[in-house]
Amino acid sequence: MGFNVILFDLDGTLTDPAIGITNSVAYALKKMGIAPPERKELLKFIGPPLAGSFEKYYGLSKEESYKAVDIYREYFAPKGIFENTLFEGVPEMLSDLKKSNKIVALATSKPTVFAEKILKHFNLYDYFDLVVGSNLDGTLTDKAEVVSVVLERLGLKDTKTAIMVGDRSHDIIGGTKNNLTTVGVTFGYGSENELMEAGATNIVHSVIELKNLLLGN
């Protein structure tokens, strides 16, 4: 079936932000007096809320984690945000969705101000009816909350024809908690096993496969 309302995650779903995010994390760790590991060890920071990842992977307190996020942004805001590439086929997919009169929204744990800047940088902003991310003060980072705000702002009460697209377990869980069909993409940073364990309704392996699913082809 086709879907009328499509919610997309950003990092690892529409764009590949690996260089910018890992550089920003490494910058923050150094400033916090922690020797950063190899880049591949920092890929796990892509997707989930940052403060929680600093706590989980480096044992920082909540206060220290928020400080680390502030330092992260010293690098990310002017430079890391643009160390980013689009997954091949994403602009064409979004264009086709809009031509098919789909409502397209962004639901990301990244701060809204950064998400909007990235979409504008890649000339994707006009494809979106709504962009919802977290706040710079660290609130609204939980994906289920973000999805809930999107649905509320769209005035969507019947979620049968709405779908959440993401590459990590928290995307799938966030969609499921809001009674959405979900699709996990394996070309991002979550494994197929992670997405299956999170309960993804569908799993796709390419942008083309994703586009066909969303258009009901």
Side-chain angles (χ1 to χ4, degrees):
M1 66 174 286
F3 297 92
N4 296 328
V5 180
I6 300 153
L7 282 66
F8 284 102
D9 170 50
L10 179 59
D11 292 340
T13 301
L14 299 177
T15 70
D16 183 351
I19 300 299
I21 287 180
T22 54
N23 281 349
S24 301
V25 173
Y27 174 87
L29 290 174
K30 279 182 197 169
K31 288 259 192 161
M32 296 290 289
I34 300 167
E38 289 181 37
R39 189 185 301 278
K40 66 181 180 182
E41 292 299 316
L42 298 177
L43 294 176
K44 56 198 172 190
F45 275 81
I46 299 173
L50 280 171
S53 292
F54 279 117
E55 279 186 64
K56 179 178 180 180
Y57 300 121
Y58 287 94
L60 302 185
S61 67
K62 266 198 176 2
E63 190 176 311
E64 289 170 333
S65 294
Y66 285 126
K67 182 182 176 185
V69 170
D70 285 340
I71 297 170
Y72 168 101
R73 288 177 183 155
E74 289 176 8
Y75 183 95
F76 185 80
K79 190 172 180 182
I81 191 171
F82 302 119
E83 296 175 329
N84 197 350
T85 57
L86 280 178
F87 286 120
E88 188 176 348
V90 163
E92 294 82 1
M93 173 183 68
L94 293 174
S95 176
D96 287 351
L97 291 174
K98 291 312 292 178
K99 284 174 187 170
S100 299
N101 298 313
K102 307 295 185 185
I103 294 170
V104 179
L106 193 76
T108 176
S109 297
K110 185 182 290 298
T112 306
V113 63
F114 294 146
E116 289 179 340
K117 195 175 282 192
I118 290 166
L119 292 179
K120 288 172 182 174
H121 175 70
F122 287 118
N123 297 314
L124 301 180
Y125 187 76
D126 290 343
Y127 293 125
F128 287 84
D129 297 280
L130 181 65
V131 175
V132 176
S134 62
N135 301 317
L136 286 171
D137 65 2
T139 57
L140 197 63
T141 56
D142 179 78
K143 186 53 71 86
E145 288 180 36
V146 174
V147 171
S148 176
V149 170
V150 170
L151 299 177
E152 184 183 332
R153 290 188 188 168
L154 290 175
L156 189 71
K157 293 187 170 56
D158 182 3
T159 59
K160 288 191 186 69
T161 61
I163 189 167
M164 175 70 210
V165 183
D167 70 312
R168 299 297 306 272
S169 60
H170 64 283
D171 299 313
I172 304 305
I173 292 164
T176 302
K177 283 183 177 177
N178 285 279
N179 301 310
L180 298 186
T181 298
T182 57
V183 54
V185 302
T186 60
F187 51 80
Y189 287 91
S191 65
E192 184 168 355
N193 190 51
E194 174 184 333
L195 295 164
M196 287 176 66
E197 285 186 357
T201 319
N202 309 273
I203 291 179
V204 298
H205 307 288
S206 68
V207 173
I208 290 289
E209 195 180 344
L210 175 61
K211 180 171 78 169
N212 289 334
L213 172 70
L214 297 176
L215 289 171
N217 295 339

